[in-house]
Amino acid sequence: MPSMDAARRRLRLSDAHVSVLGLLVEEGQVPDELARAHAELREAGLLDSDSKISADLYPLVSTLMEPRVIARVEVTGPQGATQSGAVVGDDFIFTHESWPGEAESEYVPAEPEMLVWALARMVDLHRDFTAEVDSGEVIGSTMGTLDQVLERMENGEFDEPEAVAAAVGAPARLAEVLAQLNCMWRMTVVWKGAQEPRGEGGLAVSALAVWDCGLEGYWVRELPAEPVADGQVDGSSELRVRRTSAKELWQLITDLLPDGSQLASPPKPQSAS
């Protein structure tokens, strides 16, 4: 069920609830398949009997309808995949985080100077467990071999990394690192570019893919290089990961976000003739 914490300006909404709010703003009506989500928003007091959106939702809805920057965070771990992120508008910033197995995400307002901190928290960026980190260590293989190692690890063979590596022809170091895998995460930032477009629709994209391997530390995936388009990677694609540190990852997350010069200017309101 959707809900609101008015004291802290927090909201719990599912994707269906967000879709209903967007449709009410754009079209004023909701299709039958979203009737349940529509009713839940009314029951929670976020819509009145005439489907008018509560004034408390204006900052969030206005930001979702006209975003300047969108950050998406995908985390894949033992409990499956979760989707979180942030939306930056002209006046407001909202972060949203999901919980494994839950339909709703928590939407919370954020200040610009706290955005990197919020994104880092979504991936549980923490100090390195080891005192010394060899950030120059590199492991190379293929995506097909990676999939085979992961499949065997998921089947309970993570206690025998050397045997797994030998069975699938993988580098022994790759199996050792993946035996400590906590999660894999990918962060993607999309915005309307001020310069030449780098993607469809004039959108600029930056992205980062990382393995969080506990005692084996953090590893950034350099190949296949992000952002990766659908169909661009197959089993023969080259894999290269490099050990990194929490400090470097903080800077890499910061670098994903565009600065003011990279953003296209918002459309100017047309004057009445």
Side-chain angles (χ1 to χ4, degrees):
M1 283 291 293
S3 59
M4 177 173 62
D5 176 2
R8 296 179 60 188
R9 298 183 295 158
R10 298 185 300 173
L11 292 144
R12 283 179 57 87
L13 300 168
S14 68
D15 290 345
H17 298 136
V18 172
S19 295
V20 168
L21 295 172
L23 288 168
L24 288 174
V25 172
E26 288 189 332
E27 303 178 12
Q29 55 185 358
V30 176
D32 292 340
E33 58 265 28
L34 290 174
R36 179 176 179 179
H38 190 189
E40 289 175 344
L41 287 168
R42 282 179 171 173
E43 185 177 344
L46 301 177
L47 299 176
D48 64 17
S49 59
D50 295 325
S51 292
K52 183 179 179 181
I53 298 173
S54 167
D56 292 328
L57 267 66
Y58 167 76
L60 174 61
V61 174
S62 64
T63 302
L64 293 174
M65 296 301 293
E66 295 186 5
R68 300 292 307 284
V69 179
I70 298 174
R72 298 188 181 96
V73 179
E74 306 164 61
V75 179
T76 303
Q79 294 174 283
T82 58
Q83 303 281 340
S84 301
V87 183
V88 180
D90 288 329
D91 301 311
F92 306 101
I93 297 175
F94 279 86
T95 63
H96 58 93
E97 293 189 60
S98 61
W99 189 272
E102 297 288 335
E104 288 84 14
S105 294
E106 184 179 72
Y107 288 80
V108 182
E111 296 300 319
E113 57 272 16
M114 297 299 291
L115 181 54
V116 173
W117 181 88
L119 293 172
R121 184 170 56 81
M122 290 176 196
V123 296
D124 188 30
L125 186 64
H126 50 260
R127 289 176 294 178
D128 301 300
F129 291 117
T130 52
E132 297 182 4
V133 175
D134 178 10
S135 59
E137 184 180 4
V138 173
I139 302 173
S141 186
T142 66
M143 292 299 289
T145 301
L146 170 64
D147 289 340
Q148 293 181 65
V149 173
L150 289 173
E151 182 178 357
R152 287 176 174 267
M153 295 291 182
E154 290 171 356
N155 290 334
E157 299 181 48
F158 50 84
D159 288 331
E160 302 175 351
E162 292 184 2
V164 169
V168 303
R173 189 69 178 120
L174 178 64
E176 290 173 356
V177 167
L178 290 174
Q180 301 295 325
L181 181 68
N182 288 330
C183 68
M184 294 181 174
W185 55 264
R186 181 169 64 176
M187 193 175 295
T188 305
V189 179
V190 181
W191 69 93
K192 188 76 170 180
Q195 307 299 325
E196 62 277 0
R198 286 180 281 164
E200 294 183 4
L203 295 177
V205 182
S206 61
L208 174 67
V210 175
W211 300 354
D212 177 350
C213 296
L215 294 175
E216 288 287 358
Y218 289 111
W219 296 75
V220 60
R221 197 191 72 212
E222 297 182 328
L223 289 176
E226 291 287 346
V228 174
D230 290 340
Q232 184 179 345
V233 174
D234 58 24
S236 64
S237 298
E238 181 180 358
L239 169 70
R240 186 176 73 215
V241 292
R242 176 177 59 83
R243 186 152 189 189
T244 185
S245 65
K247 181 179 179 180
E248 181 185 2
L249 283 178
W250 178 276
Q251 187 59 52
L252 290 174
I253 293 172
T254 302
D255 293 343
L256 288 181
L257 298 168
D259 59 29
S261 65
Q262 294 174 285
L263 292 173
S265 300
K268 296 181 180 179
Q270 296 181 349
S271 58
S273 57

